[in-house]
Amino acid sequence: MKRIQCHEPCTCLERAFAVCPEWAGLEAAELERLVQSVSCIRYDLGEVIYHEGAECQGVYFVIKGLIGVRKADPGGDDTLLWLAGSGDTLAYRALLAGERHRDSAEVLKPVTVCHIPSPVMMRMIRSNARLGVGFLQRAARELGRTEERLHETITLTARCRLAHLLLLFSGDLDLEEGDPSPVIELPISRSHLASLLGVRRESLSRLIRGLEEDGIAQFNGRHVRLLHARALLDEYRLESGASM
Amino acid sequence: MKRIQCHEPCTCLERAFAVCPEWAGLEAAELERLVQSVSCIRYDLGEVIYHEGAECQGVYFVIKGLIGVRKADPGGDDTLLWLAGSGDTLAYRALLAGERHRDSAEVLKPVTVCHIPSPVMMRMIRSNARLGVGFLQRAARELGRTEERLHETITLTARCRLAHLLLLFSGDLDLEEGDPSPVIELPISRSHLASLLGVRRESLSRLIRGLEEDGIAQFNGRHVRLLHARALLDEYRLESGASM
DNA sequence: CGCCAGGTTGATTTCGCTCAAGCAATGTGG
DNA sequence: CCACATTGCTTGAGCGAAATCAACCTGGCG
């Protein structure tokens, strides 16, 4: 963890905020003021940005890097709840709910974040209705996604969830039109992937082998060739009824 | 479904809103204006207040009754996501996210709700920062609860989740001090209970028998005697590491 | 070289699902 | 009033998905 300078006449922060829907509600003047009361921090791989159970000190706007949001389970293990990257704002939940952190944030790829202290954040939210509405929308969307995921883990098999996750990682890649067997790169290790899916590492291995044996995908370290994108889509759609 | 009159000099609505944290931000004048643009509706058992996939027409403030929020799964079944009762506000998620409903709301016990049309709601949120912050807090809390639940369904066994649910239903009953074997009443049927836990009806039956055989609780229709509240707590705590 | 972290594989067990039947309470029509 | 659906729940037998336990790769790296 290292505080870095990014205040002065550099406009990178301003630009970063400007493209994020929840922050877009800020006027130029407010934005400039915000940038003054903010600190940019670098964290190295493995460092923890905040800990489960700790008081919330403010929110973190992610400039770049990859962060795993995890939650300890009783067994001493922990579950990866989700990944955060550029443009995401972390810890707003605890701040707005007025609660302690319910999860911790660990760096998976070296990260630069912009830390906004709680009082600054709360003052802005209260005074600028547009910012408030922005975060309201963000929270509502995330709530929807989380419910969807809860529903998915209850109703779908692990294999199907893996298929879905691969589709998510393939992002805006056009599976119907573009390269018929594109290669995507997994941003995380097998163990993390398993944790994200809510299965054991061993089970994930077997699921992967299953997909390979069915000629749906080829795994090679973190590189995955989607051999039969169509089939992958079906894998998810058939069980989930989604139309994607 | 029946529209009923509750506008005129009746203050019941005002009072209902006043005690709910997210609505508490309204000034007396605003509240009065709100009550003018609102309609009170009664729904009978089994009626659906809004449907999954439908456009959001506004939010519903629940005066009394019990509502099951459900989400269809591909198999034609549906999962009960949660229950809503007096004081809850329904459908704010879809409204604020600007999305269609991701679930439907079905009446489990006859309901009186107060419907606030989308434009009215959005106008208020945008103009009154306190109301916005109220809903922000509400959304953040709910997001936390949902994440917690997701984590729970991934890491805990069904038996443990049942124990937890019973504890939640026993509410503010003081298990440590009060009646050593209190009786609680389940608000919903076995099938619904199973759906809420994310298990099949049959599995729930077996779980119940398990608890009875272990002398932890006695089930009798919708009445449950918690014989060994201590053990029930442990059942949950041991596995979850919660301190409750 | 030994060591260790990350990953795979195999054998076995367990939990919860599926399918099928049975039962009690309630309702409905003849 | 009885025959018979219907609804909500329980029980049993068998199955399957994933967990668990344990061994074993594989590729760095000191």
Side-chain angles (χ1 to χ4, degrees):
Chain A
M1 167 182 170
K2 193 169 71 177
R3 174 155 304 177
I4 57 181
Q5 304 304 330
C6 192
H7 297 180
E8 8 302 278
C10 129
T11 58
C12 66
L13 257 185
E14 275 91 335
R15 260 184 280 118
F17 278 117
V19 296
C20 289
E22 61 264 35
W23 293 102
L26 289 174
E27 307 288 341
E30 289 172 310
L31 191 52
E32 200 180 323
R33 204 142 26 90
L34 170 61
V35 171
Q36 299 304 320
S37 38
V38 132
S39 34
C40 283
I41 313 177
R42 272 197 50 105
Y43 291 91
D44 287 323
L45 199 144
E47 284 190 282
V48 176
I49 302 179
Y50 60 82
H51 287 272
E52 189 172 345
E55 207 74 58
C56 177
Q57 304 292 340
V59 304
Y60 302 85
F61 178 71
V62 183
I63 309 291
K64 65 188 258 290
L66 187 69
I67 295 161
V69 176
R70 356 176 65 185
K71 197 166 165 54
D73 25 293
D77 291 344
D78 56 9
T79 310
L80 197 49
L81 286 179
W82 47 60
L83 303 174
S86 311
D88 287 323
T89 301
L90 282 176
Y92 74 94
R93 199 215 61 81
L95 179 70
L96 296 173
E99 296 172 353
R100 288 164 169 270
H101 289 295
R102 287 176 172 234
D103 42 40
S104 43
E106 186 188 325
V107 175
L108 301 182
K109 288 181 184 169
V111 155
T112 310
V113 296
C114 162
H115 176 251
I116 301 144
S118 301
V120 175
M121 186 68 192
M122 287 312 288
R123 206 178 317 122
M124 280 197 309
I125 289 258
R126 274 193 259 266
S127 64
N128 182 335
R130 295 209 1 241
L131 187 66
V133 173
F135 270 90
L136 208 34
Q137 183 166 344
R138 164 73 191 261
R141 292 237 164 93
E142 193 141 326
L143 185 52
R145 289 207 337 248
T146 308
E147 283 181 25
E148 206 73 49
R149 177 119 166 261
L150 175 61
H151 185 241
E152 209 168 80
T153 59
I154 289 177
T155 57
L156 304 186
T157 66
R159 172 171 168 131
C160 180
R161 282 179 277 143
L162 171 58
H164 188 193
L165 194 55
L166 289 177
L167 289 171
L168 291 180
F169 281 145
S170 60
D172 31 33
L173 220 82
D174 185 353
L175 296 181
E176 308 279 352
E177 300 282 324
D179 182 351
S181 61
V183 175
I184 61 177
E185 186 174 350
L186 302 177
I188 52 176
S189 71
R190 298 284 146 114
S191 305
H192 285 147
L193 202 57
S195 186
L196 200 53
L197 284 171
V199 299
R200 300 279 142 200
R201 299 190 259 25
E202 303 94 313
S203 300
L204 176 61
S205 271
R206 290 182 235 279
L207 291 176
I208 287 178
R209 205 148 72 88
L211 288 183
E212 286 185 328
E213 280 171 359
D214 295 351
I216 293 180
Q218 269 172 4
F219 287 73
N220 197 323
R222 290 198 177 180
H223 293 275
V224 186
R225 178 176 293 275
L226 305 180
L227 291 171
H228 202 331
R230 189 75 230 171
L232 195 61
L233 269 167
D234 289 345
E235 195 67 47
Y236 172 59
R237 276 206 275 229
L238 289 184
E239 246 184 276
S240 75
S243 52
M244 289 205 44
Chain B
M1 168 184 171
K2 194 169 70 177
R3 175 155 302 175
I4 57 181
Q5 304 302 331
C6 193
H7 297 180
E8 8 298 280
C10 130
T11 57
C12 64
L13 257 185
E14 276 92 336
R15 262 185 278 120
F17 279 116
V19 296
C20 290
E22 62 264 35
W23 292 102
L26 290 174
E27 307 288 342
E30 290 173 309
L31 190 53
E32 200 181 324
R33 205 143 23 90
L34 170 61
V35 172
Q36 297 304 320
S37 39
V38 132
S39 35
C40 283
I41 314 177
R42 270 196 50 104
Y43 290 92
D44 288 323
L45 200 143
E47 285 190 282
V48 176
I49 302 179
Y50 60 81
H51 287 272
E52 189 172 345
E55 207 74 59
C56 178
Q57 304 293 339
V59 304
Y60 302 85
F61 177 70
V62 183
I63 310 290
K64 64 189 258 291
L66 186 69
I67 294 162
V69 176
R70 353 176 68 185
K71 196 166 167 53
D73 26 294
D77 290 344
D78 55 8
T79 309
L80 197 49
L81 286 179
W82 47 59
L83 303 174
S86 312
D88 288 323
T89 301
L90 281 176
Y92 74 94
R93 200 214 62 81
L95 180 70
L96 295 173
E99 297 172 352
R100 286 163 171 272
H101 289 295
R102 288 176 171 233
D103 43 40
S104 43
E106 186 187 325
V107 175
L108 301 181
K109 287 182 185 169
V111 154
T112 310
V113 296
C114 164
H115 176 250
I116 300 144
S118 301
V120 175
M121 186 68 193
M122 287 313 287
R123 205 176 320 125
M124 280 197 309
I125 289 258
R126 273 193 260 266
S127 64
N128 183 335
R130 296 211 359 243
L131 188 64
V133 173
F135 270 90
L136 209 33
Q137 182 166 345
R138 164 72 192 260
R141 292 237 165 92
E142 194 141 326
L143 185 51
R145 289 208 335 250
T146 308
E147 283 181 25
E148 205 74 48
R149 178 119 166 261
L150 174 61
H151 186 240
E152 208 169 82
T153 60
I154 288 177
T155 57
L156 305 185
T157 65
R159 173 171 166 130
C160 180
R161 282 179 276 144
L162 172 58
H164 188 194
L165 193 56
L166 289 177
L167 289 171
L168 291 181
F169 281 144
S170 60
D172 31 35
L173 220 82
D174 185 352
L175 295 180
E176 308 278 352
E177 300 283 324
D179 181 353
S181 61
V183 174
I184 61 177
E185 186 175 350
L186 302 177
I188 51 177
S189 71
R190 297 285 146 113
S191 304
H192 285 146
L193 202 57
S195 186
L196 200 53
L197 285 171
V199 299
R200 302 278 137 195
R201 298 190 259 27
E202 302 95 315
S203 300
L204 176 61
S205 271
R206 291 182 235 279
L207 291 175
I208 287 178
R209 205 149 70 89
L211 289 183
E212 286 185 326
E213 281 172 358
D214 295 351
I216 293 178
Q218 269 172 3
F219 288 72
N220 197 322
R222 291 198 177 179
H223 294 275
V224 186
R225 178 176 295 275
L226 304 180
L227 290 172
H228 202 330
R230 189 74 231 170
L232 195 61
L233 269 166
D234 289 345
E235 194 68 46
Y236 171 59
R237 276 206 277 230
L238 290 184
E239 245 183 275
S240 75
S243 51
M244 292 208 39

